[in-house]
Amino acid sequence: MFFSKKLKNLDILVEDLKDNEIYLCISKNKKGEVLDEEPVEIVGKELKALVEMQGQRRGLIRYGRELFYEVIGTKEKAEI
């Protein structure tokens, strides 16, 4: 079950992410510090799976105990 919290920058719910859309994410540590300035590209379907497995915290998608993704925008539709 998805949490009802909104993603910080996109201001949408996780369940509103589109499966075939590529989202740009910034990696952050648990203190909120940016780990890498280069955005990571992740498909919406994978982001939803991450939230289902790892959860969400303060509008960020949890990747592990120390790593979070902040979704900052979209790139394009993936060819699936």
Side-chain angles (χ1 to χ4, degrees), residues 36-48:
D36 189 6
E37 293 292 329
E38 190 68 30
V40 178
E41 298 176 2
I42 306 175
V43 179
K45 193 174 200 175
E46 292 178 23
L47 286 173
K48 288 180 183 180

Side-chain angles (χ1 to χ4, degrees), residues 8 14 16 19 36 52 57 62 73:
K8 200 185 294 187
V14 173
D16 293 335
D19 289 346
D36 189 6
E52 211 169 278
R57 180 176 169 199
R62 186 184 295 268

Side-chain angles (χ1 to χ4, degrees), residues 1-3 14 42-57 60-65 67-69:
M1 182 75 186
F2 295 120
F3 298 137
V14 173
I42 306 175
V43 179
K45 193 174 200 175
E46 292 178 23
L47 286 173
K48 288 180 183 180
L50 274 176
V51 171
E52 211 169 278
M53 292 185 306
Q54 300 288 340
Q56 205 177 340
R57 180 176 169 199
L60 305 176
I61 295 174
R62 186 184 295 268
Y63 182 73
R65 289 186 81 149
L67 183 64
F68 297 86
Y69 286 135

Side-chain angles (χ1 to χ4, degrees), residues 4-51:
S4 60
K5 293 181 183 178
K6 289 187 175 185
L7 295 173
K8 200 185 294 187
N9 285 332
L10 294 184
D11 199 33
I12 62 171
L13 298 174
V14 173
E15 58 198 25
D16 293 335
L17 291 173
K18 297 176 183 169
D19 289 346
N20 61 344
E21 191 88 18
I22 295 176
Y23 292 92
L24 301 174
C25 303
I26 296 289
S27 302
K28 293 189 171 189
N29 64 14
K30 69 178 182 178
K31 293 181 181 178
E33 300 165 342
V34 175
L35 298 176
D36 189 6
E37 293 292 329
E38 190 68 30
V40 178
E41 298 176 2
I42 306 175
V43 179
K45 193 174 200 175
E46 292 178 23
L47 286 173
K48 288 180 183 180
L50 274 176
V51 171

